[in-house]
Every structure is written in C-alpha cells, then in structure tokens.
Amino acid sequence: MQPLSLPPRLLMGPGPINCYPRVLSAMSTQLVGQYDPTMTSYMNEVMELYRRVFNTQNQQTFLIDGTSRAGIEAALVSCLEPGDKVLIPIFGRFGHLLAEIAERADAEVHTIEVPWGEVFDPQQIEDAIKKVQPKLLAIVQGDTSTTMFQPLEELGDICRAHDVLFYTDATASIGGNPLEVDAWKIDAVSVGLQKCLGGPSGSAPITLSDRFVSCVRKRAHVEAGIRDAHHQGSSGMRIRSNYFDLPMIMDYWGDERLNHHTEAATMLFGSRECAIQLLSEGQDAVIQRHQLAGNAMLQGVIALGLQPFGDLKHKMSNVVGVHIPDNVDGEQIRHDLLNIFNIEIGTSFGPLKGKVWRIGTMGYNARQDAVLHTLQSLETVLRRAGFALPAGAAVDAAMSVYAGEK
Amino acid sequence: MQPLSLPPRLLMGPGPINCYPRVLSAMSTQLVGQYDPTMTSYMNEVMELYRRVFNTQNQQTFLIDGTSRAGIEAALVSCLEPGDKVLIPIFGRFGHLLAEIAERADAEVHTIEVPWGEVFDPQQIEDAIKKVQPKLLAIVQGDTSTTMFQPLEELGDICRAHDVLFYTDATASIGGNPLEVDAWKIDAVSVGLQKCLGGPSGSAPITLSDRFVSCVRKRAHVEAGIRDAHHQGSSGMRIRSNYFDLPMIMDYWGDERLNHHTEAATMLFGSRECAIQLLSEGQDAVIQRHQLAGNAMLQGVIALGLQPFGDLKHKMSNVVGVHIPDNVDGEQIRHDLLNIFNIEIGTSFGPLKGKVWRIGTMGYNARQDAVLHTLQSLETVLRRAGFALPAGAAVDAAMSVYAGEK
C-alpha cells in the first residue's frame, strides 16, 4: 500500500496518451453535490463547450459516464430496436466493434468492407444504402487499428436523401482532424478523451441531432422509483439498457434534472479542461499542430528507411502505421523503447498484429520535442538491434517539416 | 473558460460526499499506457485490494468503468438471459432499479415488496424463492432512498440450498457497514466509490464468485476484430451488451489482457486510494467511525425534536432520514443550509419526496466536526425559520455519543 508511483512515460502509441497538465490538475478538485447549482451550472457549461468542440448547435450534447465504447453503445442501443436495419462500412477493428454492438442489440446488421489500410468512396456507401435501406448508417471516422481517416463530408447528404440516420464514432480523430457535425449533417457522434483531446479514458462526449433525438425519444420510459403520475411511457420499445438509455440521460442533463446515474464529477472536470484546452488554443491551430507533428513523424520514419502502412492520402494526422522490417523483432524494439527510453509506441490488432507498429502524435504529445525524442530513440534501438539505417536522417527529416521545408 | 472554481461544500447528503484528500491527489497522476507493465501491475494490485475490501478470495474482483449502476447492469445482463427468472425483494428506490434493469434484459422478474422504511425477514425471501425458483436473487444491501439496511447473513445459505445465485448492490453500505462476501456466500456484489469509500462517482468495483463466473462464462464470445482462430464462441446466448460483457472484461483484467475498453486509469488511481484508505485505517475502525458519526447525528436530530424515519433497528450507519416537520418548508431549509453554511443535506425520492430529509455521515465526512457543524447549522436555520427547538441540545446529544455516554 505504497503511494502511487509511475514512470514518466512519453506515450507515443495510438492512445491513451499523456494528459495535458491542466486536465490532471482539474481532476484533483474536491466535489460538490450532483444537484448543487454550481455543479449543474458546470454541466451546462460542459454541454456548451462540447457543442463548440463538435461544431454543432445540438442542444443534446453531453457526457456518457464510461469509456469511449460506452458512448458508442449508448448511441446504438438507444436508436436500434431489434430487427432495425443498420449499415456498417468496416475499414478496421472499430468498424467490427460497431457491428458487434449492433448485433448484440439484435439489429439486422449489414456490413461492407474494404481491406485494412483503405477507406470507402462515398459512392460505395450510397450504393449499399440503396440496397439495404437501413434505419442507420454507423461508421468510424478514424480507425486507429489501421490509422485510416474516412471522409464523412458527403455522407450526410446521402443519408438525408435516403432518410437514413447517420452516426459516427470519432474517438480517434476528434481534435486532431476536422469534424463538422452540423455542416456535414451527422446525426450522432460519440468520442473519448484519451486521444487528441488529451485527457484520460473514462468519459464519452456525445452529441445528438434533433432527428436522432426524435428517434430515441419514441422509446422514452422513466424508471420506476422516480416516476411520477405525469410521466407517460412512450409507444416505442423500451431501450434494453438502463445505463445507456439516452432519453433518461437527457432528462438528467436537461432542466428536468431527473435522477439517473450520479454524474462522475471528476471525469466531468477533466472533460471540461480537455474542451477548454482545444478551444482556447483554437481548433484550427490544434489540428494544424497535429498535422505538423504527424507529418514530421511520417517523414522521419520514411527517412529511417521504414515503410509506412496504408493509403497515406487517407491517414489520420495523429497516428502512423509502420511496417516492422524483416529480421527485426517488433516486440523487442517496443520493449527497449519503453524500458530504456520511457517511450511507448503501439502494436497492432487482427490482420496487422506483429506486422505493424503504430506511432501516435496526439494531444499534449503533438509536439516537436516529443516527435524528435521518439525518432532518435527509435533510431538508436533499431541501430543497436542491427538494423542498418542512415544516422540522423530521421531527425533531420522531421526538423525540415517543422522548418516548413517539406 | 475560467479555471474551475467550486465552493467548499460539506456534503452531508446521501452521496456523493467529499472525497478523501489522498483520493483527489491520486487522480491528478499522469498516465502510462494501458498495457504498460506498471499499469497492469496496478490493475492486479487493485484486484487484490478490493478482494480485501469485499472480504473475499474471489479471483474475479475488478472495476467496471462507469458509475455504480454500471456495475449493477454488468452483473445482471451478463447473468440473466431473456426468460431467466430473477427474484428481487424491493424495499426502496434501488430495488426498483434492479427490477428495471432486469426487465430490460427481458428476464422474468418477480418482486416482493415491503413498505419504505422496513426490510425483509429472511423467511419472506426464502418463501418467495421456493415459489418462484429463480436463477438469481438480486437485492440491495443498503438503500439510501429509505436509509434501510437489509441483513444478508442468512440469504447465502438459503440461496445455496435452492441452487440460486445471489447478487447484491452494496453501493450505499460498503465501508460504513459490514459486508462479508465469502462468509455470507454472496455470488456477486457491485458497489460505487461515492458513499462510505470516499471517492468520486465513476468506477464500480465488482466481485464474482466461481459459481457466478461459471454462469457468465457460458455466454463468452470474444469480439470480432481481435478474435483469433483459437477463440471459440461458447454455447450460451451472447450477452446483449458489449460494454457490460463480464467475460470480456475478465479477459481484459486477466492474464489474457485481451483488449476491451481502455481502462479509465484516473478512476482506477482514485479507486485504489479509496481501498487503501479503508484498509490502512482498518475496516472495523472505519465501520465503527461510521456507527459513531451516524449515531451522533441520529441523537442530534432527535434532540432537536425531529422524528427520524423508518425502522431504526435496520438503519444504515451512514445516513438518517428525518421527517420534515409540519409548517417547515423543507426545500427552503436545504437552500439556507447550502447557501449560508455551505452544507448539503439530501431530499428524497418517490413516496418520501418532500416529506423526508436525508442526512449522511459518510467516508471522509464521518467525523465529529462534520456532524457538529451540520447539527448547529440545522438548528440555526430551523430556529430562524420559526421552528421552536431546544437551543444547543443537538450538539450536546451528539457530543454525548462521542463521549461514550449514549
């Protein structure tokens, strides 16, 4: 029962990453009661801050108390009744996750797939929508398993034209890549803090359009024990999860303040700082910082003689996949980076397991010094493992990017 | 976008309450990666610490990433397949919550009820078990809505005799009242941090017996995207929730370290400190501290001429219900306590709404000074509201309890 003592890791994997200091500080704030006017006023402020993060006017913008997949599950199980059709284009592990969550909700799940390392053309998605005629299109914006970034700009119009609701999981991409919820006509988006927003896992910001809210409101049922005589059950099938029942969560965050869970205040304080960090630095500036760091890392690994993974035109700014060279023990390299240099990079899942490293440049760590330390250290451990490479080239390439020369 | 600034409330309601300072400090700790050996080693340590908190040898003792009702839902939806029979004895709001979550899982829910303010005799429960022959008995240990504390000692043997699994939600009671998971033969228990454990809401410690684990393991299905060829699906019906799929969560906390969610590290750090606070002070000492504070508060409100709510023989140590006197505006009293004295006490739900205040003495706030400040301030606001009461009697009564005279 010793005091908590953790090594000063530089987290350059696909997330979680180091938190911004202001986020950590806020998380040691003493609590107030859940209905204290100062607490509900911060809840309202968090809603407003995340409207700005999501670039939306959606009234229903709040936090789900859980990790990012809690936000996904809340959106899908509140929307999809058993037998409802959902179309899920899959381009990596987190597309499979959407399908799996929808299957468990007993939705009729239709998937289309592209090989890992590619994204979809909007036409492919529209063709599938015409064929399937789903209630919902659910797609990941950025899938860290492949580093790919799916363009969403055209999908909103396609969905509206076919009267389809449009959900996206933007956990991996938000803050480091553009996301325009209203302009792109996305009906529901959920995210997490632990990537480019620079916070810890454990809170899932979510935003819902009026169309999406109408859909889930049809299934509203106030729980027994707090139900008053004036609460009428709705006509729709009751949502299978109490915890993820969006209408009840909306009534907790709304003026009704109907008790549901007890808001995880510490996570709310952290979420608030993540949003303030992004908005006070400026979304465009933060995205540019991620692009610069991501490009510097990409040019650095290329200069080392390593081959980046996937379609680089559609890579997220904040993570790059790197083919592990033949004759190099990928796990030993990761082990040495961690144990000698206190730097973490990522391994991979599924078809890329053991074949690709994933190196992130996210949030607080989308910084030149973090990029350079990582490249230098990677160079050193590869060199000492017997891999021939041009000395100093990685750092030079990255510094050229920062100097505007690449 | 000002820095977070909250008033220094003394939280004397039914929870959440003020966190122990060591818990808050730990929550500003910088992160490491989710599979970092230092992280997994702390995960293992947290499992061991909560075995001691729960007084169990259960291997499967870990955290659900969400508020306390996330722990409830994980236990119930992983265990109950549609059509499975569950018996839920209800003695307050949180019994209704168990029934509601089980209904949403399409279990066949059987309830028995006693009036709010009472608890069950074990014979009533055994009679219902004989009649219903459920797969699971699910019951709250302490229901803050009524302040009642259900004796569980005899229920484990009853459940074993009838081959019934036994789950309890001990969120409100743990840390301030006895809970002997193994000795009482309880198969699954979930809790939260925000009551007597003295942490924030947002993490739900849970423990599962081998019997319970066998039941949920029959429904294990590794998710697509991380599934290898050697992962066979089990015969049981797939659990309807991915987020609350206990077999997958066990494989994440276990040696397999199969990716599920990304552990909410900050909440884990806080959970760890809650356990250490309890165990280093000593469970018996902490329970005694709660009994003392709770009894001092009880004697104090009685000395004020107020009437406590419910069957005092079966009251939790850590919260007391108080009938709001006629001609007193209960919400105005709460408002004045909060705004003049920075002290929060609770209102009530359902049949007790507007009729009863709930005053807690939990965790960090189970202290003499907190009890006395609250009683003095309650006396002052009642007096100024025109309620006749014996000056100083509340504090004298509470101090007598602390002096061992009552």
Tab-separated table of all heavy atoms in Angstrom, chain A residues 147-149 172-173 175-178 196 286-298 314-320 359-362 366:
chain	number	residue	atom	x	y	z
A	147	THR	N	-5.047	3.299	-38.857
A	147	THR	CA	-4.655	4.721	-38.964
A	147	THR	C	-5.466	5.486	-40.014
A	147	THR	O	-5.212	6.668	-40.254
A	147	THR	CB	-3.144	4.922	-39.291
A	147	THR	OG1	-2.909	4.642	-40.687
A	147	THR	CG2	-2.260	4.038	-38.431
A	148	MET	N	-6.458	4.825	-40.617
A	148	MET	CA	-7.178	5.457	-41.724
A	148	MET	C	-8.245	6.438	-41.243
A	148	MET	O	-8.818	6.283	-40.168
A	148	MET	CB	-7.836	4.384	-42.601
A	148	MET	CG	-6.839	3.544	-43.398
A	148	MET	SD	-5.871	4.517	-44.605
A	148	MET	CE	-4.286	4.594	-43.779
A	149	PHE	N	-8.505	7.426	-42.108
A	149	PHE	CA	-9.435	8.523	-41.825
A	149	PHE	C	-10.487	8.545	-42.927
A	149	PHE	O	-10.194	8.849	-44.091
A	149	PHE	CB	-8.650	9.839	-41.806
A	149	PHE	CG	-9.468	11.057	-41.469
A	149	PHE	CD1	-9.954	11.241	-40.170
A	149	PHE	CD2	-9.731	12.024	-42.420
A	149	PHE	CE1	-10.688	12.368	-39.842
A	149	PHE	CE2	-10.472	13.165	-42.095
A	149	PHE	CZ	-10.953	13.328	-40.809
A	172	ALA	N	-11.026	8.517	-32.184
A	172	ALA	CA	-9.601	8.554	-32.511
A	172	ALA	C	-9.204	9.807	-33.271
A	172	ALA	O	-8.035	10.179	-33.301
A	172	ALA	CB	-9.239	7.322	-33.337
A	173	SER	N	-10.179	10.440	-33.889
A	173	SER	CA	-9.865	11.539	-34.804
A	173	SER	C	-10.111	12.914	-34.194
A	173	SER	O	-9.403	13.876	-34.524
A	173	SER	CB	-10.694	11.382	-36.081
A	173	SER	OG	-12.055	11.121	-35.763
A	175	GLY	N	-10.283	16.413	-32.589
A	175	GLY	CA	-9.270	17.298	-32.029
A	175	GLY	C	-8.019	17.366	-32.887
A	175	GLY	O	-7.327	18.378	-32.890
A	176	GLY	N	-7.733	16.303	-33.628
A	176	GLY	CA	-6.540	16.302	-34.472
A	176	GLY	C	-6.875	16.332	-35.954
A	176	GLY	O	-5.976	16.402	-36.804
A	177	ASN	N	-8.161	16.265	-36.260
A	177	ASN	CA	-8.640	16.214	-37.642
A	177	ASN	C	-9.990	16.931	-37.687
A	177	ASN	O	-10.683	17.008	-36.676
A	177	ASN	CB	-8.859	14.750	-38.079
A	177	ASN	CG	-7.638	13.877	-37.868
A	177	ASN	OD1	-6.789	13.744	-38.730
A	177	ASN	ND2	-7.542	13.263	-36.675
A	178	PRO	N	-10.396	17.435	-38.847
A	178	PRO	CA	-11.657	18.179	-38.898
A	178	PRO	C	-12.873	17.294	-38.588
A	178	PRO	O	-12.906	16.121	-38.958
A	178	PRO	CB	-11.724	18.669	-40.350
A	178	PRO	CG	-10.333	18.527	-40.886
A	178	PRO	CD	-9.706	17.401	-40.137
A	196	CYS	N	-6.651	12.744	-29.160
A	196	CYS	CA	-6.182	14.119	-29.376
A	196	CYS	C	-6.754	15.133	-28.393
A	196	CYS	O	-6.271	16.267	-28.335
A	196	CYS	CB	-6.489	14.566	-30.800
A	196	CYS	SG	-5.830	13.447	-32.049
A	286	VAL	N	-4.960	23.677	-33.337
A	286	VAL	CA	-4.670	22.349	-32.786
A	286	VAL	C	-4.602	21.314	-33.921
A	286	VAL	O	-3.726	20.443	-33.929
A	286	VAL	CB	-5.715	21.956	-31.718
A	286	VAL	CG1	-5.489	20.522	-31.241
A	286	VAL	CG2	-5.643	22.915	-30.529
A	287	ILE	N	-5.510	21.417	-34.849
A	287	ILE	CA	-5.478	20.482	-35.986
A	287	ILE	C	-4.173	20.664	-36.764
A	287	ILE	O	-3.517	19.689	-37.139
A	287	ILE	CB	-6.717	20.690	-36.895
A	287	ILE	CG1	-7.975	20.194	-36.158
A	287	ILE	CG2	-6.557	19.971	-38.229
A	287	ILE	CD1	-9.282	20.527	-36.852
A	288	GLN	N	-3.781	21.918	-36.956
A	288	GLN	CA	-2.527	22.196	-37.669
A	288	GLN	C	-1.326	21.638	-36.895
A	288	GLN	O	-0.405	21.061	-37.487
A	288	GLN	CB	-2.379	23.700	-37.857
A	288	GLN	CG	-1.349	24.078	-38.898
A	288	GLN	CD	-1.247	25.585	-39.078
A	288	GLN	OE1	-1.687	26.362	-38.217
A	288	GLN	NE2	-0.668	26.002	-40.199
A	289	ARG	N	-1.366	21.782	-35.583
A	289	ARG	CA	-0.288	21.227	-34.747
A	289	ARG	C	-0.210	19.704	-34.906
A	289	ARG	O	0.879	19.117	-34.967
A	289	ARG	CB	-0.534	21.636	-33.279
A	289	ARG	CG	0.453	21.075	-32.293
A	289	ARG	CD	0.491	21.865	-30.971
A	289	ARG	NE	-0.742	21.875	-30.201
A	289	ARG	CZ	-1.194	20.861	-29.451
A	289	ARG	NH1	-0.503	19.722	-29.398
A	289	ARG	NH2	-2.325	20.971	-28.774
A	290	HIS	N	-1.361	19.077	-34.971
A	290	HIS	CA	-1.376	17.626	-35.187
A	290	HIS	C	-0.869	17.256	-36.582
A	290	HIS	O	-0.149	16.266	-36.755
A	290	HIS	CB	-2.788	17.058	-34.982
A	290	HIS	CG	-3.140	16.830	-33.546
A	290	HIS	ND1	-3.647	17.815	-32.735
A	290	HIS	CD2	-3.039	15.724	-32.759
A	290	HIS	CE1	-3.854	17.327	-31.515
A	290	HIS	NE2	-3.491	16.063	-31.514
A	291	GLN	N	-1.259	18.046	-37.574
A	291	GLN	CA	-0.800	17.748	-38.936
A	291	GLN	C	0.716	17.870	-39.031
A	291	GLN	O	1.385	17.043	-39.655
A	291	GLN	CB	-1.484	18.688	-39.940
A	291	GLN	CG	-2.938	18.288	-40.179
A	291	GLN	CD	-3.743	19.342	-40.934
A	291	GLN	OE1	-3.334	20.513	-40.996
A	291	GLN	NE2	-4.884	18.941	-41.474
A	292	LEU	N	1.241	18.911	-38.394
A	292	LEU	CA	2.681	19.139	-38.419
A	292	LEU	C	3.421	17.996	-37.713
A	292	LEU	O	4.374	17.406	-38.251
A	292	LEU	CB	2.957	20.479	-37.712
A	292	LEU	CG	4.205	21.262	-38.078
A	292	LEU	CD1	4.332	21.492	-39.576
A	292	LEU	CD2	4.166	22.624	-37.347
A	293	ALA	N	2.958	17.660	-36.528
A	293	ALA	CA	3.625	16.592	-35.768
A	293	ALA	C	3.490	15.259	-36.497
A	293	ALA	O	4.461	14.480	-36.586
A	293	ALA	CB	3.031	16.494	-34.366
A	294	GLY	N	2.296	15.007	-37.026
A	294	GLY	CA	2.075	13.739	-37.724
A	294	GLY	C	2.917	13.643	-38.980
A	294	GLY	O	3.492	12.578	-39.293
A	295	ASN	N	3.011	14.730	-39.701
A	295	ASN	CA	3.815	14.730	-40.926
A	295	ASN	C	5.301	14.606	-40.602
A	295	ASN	O	6.050	13.891	-41.296
A	295	ASN	CB	3.531	15.994	-41.746
A	295	ASN	CG	4.062	15.875	-43.161
A	295	ASN	OD1	4.163	14.774	-43.704
A	295	ASN	ND2	4.425	17.010	-43.762
A	296	ALA	N	5.742	15.280	-39.540
A	296	ALA	CA	7.146	15.167	-39.123
A	296	ALA	C	7.466	13.718	-38.747
A	296	ALA	O	8.525	13.182	-39.104
A	296	ALA	CB	7.416	16.099	-37.942
A	297	MET	N	6.559	13.074	-38.029
A	297	MET	CA	6.786	11.671	-37.651
A	297	MET	C	6.819	10.787	-38.903
A	297	MET	O	7.674	9.894	-39.035
A	297	MET	CB	5.686	11.206	-36.691
A	297	MET	CG	5.898	9.813	-36.138
A	297	MET	SD	7.378	9.695	-35.076
A	297	MET	CE	6.703	10.327	-33.530
A	298	LEU	N	5.887	11.028	-39.818
A	298	LEU	CA	5.838	10.240	-41.057
A	298	LEU	C	7.127	10.398	-41.855
A	298	LEU	O	7.736	9.397	-42.284
A	298	LEU	CB	4.643	10.711	-41.903
A	298	LEU	CG	4.538	10.123	-43.309
A	298	LEU	CD1	4.272	8.613	-43.252
A	298	LEU	CD2	3.415	10.816	-44.105
A	314	HIS	N	-5.244	9.060	-46.974
A	314	HIS	CA	-6.378	8.972	-46.059
A	314	HIS	C	-5.955	8.578	-44.655
A	314	HIS	O	-6.692	7.933	-43.928
A	314	HIS	CB	-7.420	7.983	-46.608
A	314	HIS	CG	-8.101	8.490	-47.839
A	314	HIS	ND1	-7.864	7.977	-49.095
A	314	HIS	CD2	-8.979	9.511	-48.008
A	314	HIS	CE1	-8.585	8.637	-49.991
A	314	HIS	NE2	-9.276	9.572	-49.351
A	315	LYS	N	-4.724	8.972	-44.308
A	315	LYS	CA	-4.234	8.696	-42.964
A	315	LYS	C	-4.734	9.781	-41.998
A	315	LYS	O	-4.791	10.954	-42.357
A	315	LYS	CB	-2.697	8.716	-42.993
A	315	LYS	CG	-2.020	8.181	-41.746
A	315	LYS	CD	-0.511	8.246	-41.882
A	315	LYS	CE	0.056	9.622	-41.538
A	315	LYS	NZ	-0.251	10.111	-40.198
A	316	MET	N	-5.071	9.379	-40.756
A	316	MET	CA	-5.320	10.392	-39.729
A	316	MET	C	-4.038	11.182	-39.504
A	316	MET	O	-2.928	10.642	-39.656
A	316	MET	CB	-5.731	9.730	-38.405
A	316	MET	CG	-7.192	9.341	-38.351
A	316	MET	SD	-7.660	8.806	-36.682
A	316	MET	CE	-7.000	7.142	-36.688
A	317	SER	N	-4.173	12.424	-39.090
A	317	SER	CA	-2.977	13.236	-38.847
A	317	SER	C	-2.181	12.711	-37.662
A	317	SER	O	-0.978	12.928	-37.567
A	317	SER	CB	-3.383	14.682	-38.552
A	317	SER	OG	-3.987	14.763	-37.272
A	318	ASN	N	-2.870	12.021	-36.744
A	318	ASN	CA	-2.305	11.807	-35.424
A	318	ASN	C	-1.721	10.429	-35.158
A	318	ASN	O	-1.321	10.147	-34.025
A	318	ASN	CB	-3.356	12.113	-34.357
A	318	ASN	CG	-4.704	11.458	-34.637
A	318	ASN	OD1	-5.330	11.743	-35.669
A	318	ASN	ND2	-5.129	10.588	-33.776
A	319	VAL	N	-1.674	9.578	-36.155
A	319	VAL	CA	-1.086	8.254	-35.933
A	319	VAL	C	-0.591	7.714	-37.275
A	319	VAL	O	-1.198	7.953	-38.320
A	319	VAL	CB	-2.090	7.287	-35.258
A	319	VAL	CG1	-3.353	7.106	-36.089
A	319	VAL	CG2	-1.451	5.949	-34.918
A	320	VAL	N	0.546	7.037	-37.210
A	320	VAL	CA	1.087	6.435	-38.433
A	320	VAL	C	1.401	4.964	-38.148
A	320	VAL	O	1.900	4.616	-37.069
A	320	VAL	CB	2.348	7.199	-38.925
A	320	VAL	CG1	3.467	7.191	-37.888
A	320	VAL	CG2	2.863	6.615	-40.245
A	359	ILE	N	2.491	4.552	-34.313
A	359	ILE	CA	3.129	5.643	-33.574
A	359	ILE	C	2.209	6.856	-33.615
A	359	ILE	O	1.839	7.336	-34.689
A	359	ILE	CB	4.507	5.985	-34.187
A	359	ILE	CG1	5.359	4.706	-34.291
A	359	ILE	CG2	5.209	7.049	-33.340
A	359	ILE	CD1	6.745	4.925	-34.873
A	360	GLY	N	1.838	7.310	-32.441
A	360	GLY	CA	0.898	8.418	-32.340
A	360	GLY	C	1.584	9.732	-32.015
A	360	GLY	O	2.672	9.775	-31.427
A	361	THR	N	0.942	10.806	-32.415
A	361	THR	CA	1.377	12.171	-32.076
A	361	THR	C	0.089	12.914	-31.738
A	361	THR	O	-0.502	13.580	-32.581
A	361	THR	CB	2.074	12.852	-33.271
A	361	THR	OG1	1.319	12.545	-34.467
A	361	THR	CG2	3.486	12.344	-33.449
A	362	MET	N	-0.332	12.770	-30.493
A	362	MET	CA	-1.695	13.183	-30.144
A	362	MET	C	-1.707	14.139	-28.972
A	362	MET	O	-0.956	13.981	-28.007
A	362	MET	CB	-2.504	11.961	-29.729
A	362	MET	CG	-2.571	10.866	-30.772
A	362	MET	SD	-3.887	9.687	-30.361
A	362	MET	CE	-3.476	8.388	-31.542
A	366	ALA	N	1.551	16.058	-29.369
A	366	ALA	CA	1.727	16.520	-30.754
A	366	ALA	C	2.668	17.725	-30.712
A	366	ALA	O	2.274	18.860	-30.992
A	366	ALA	CB	0.371	16.884	-31.367
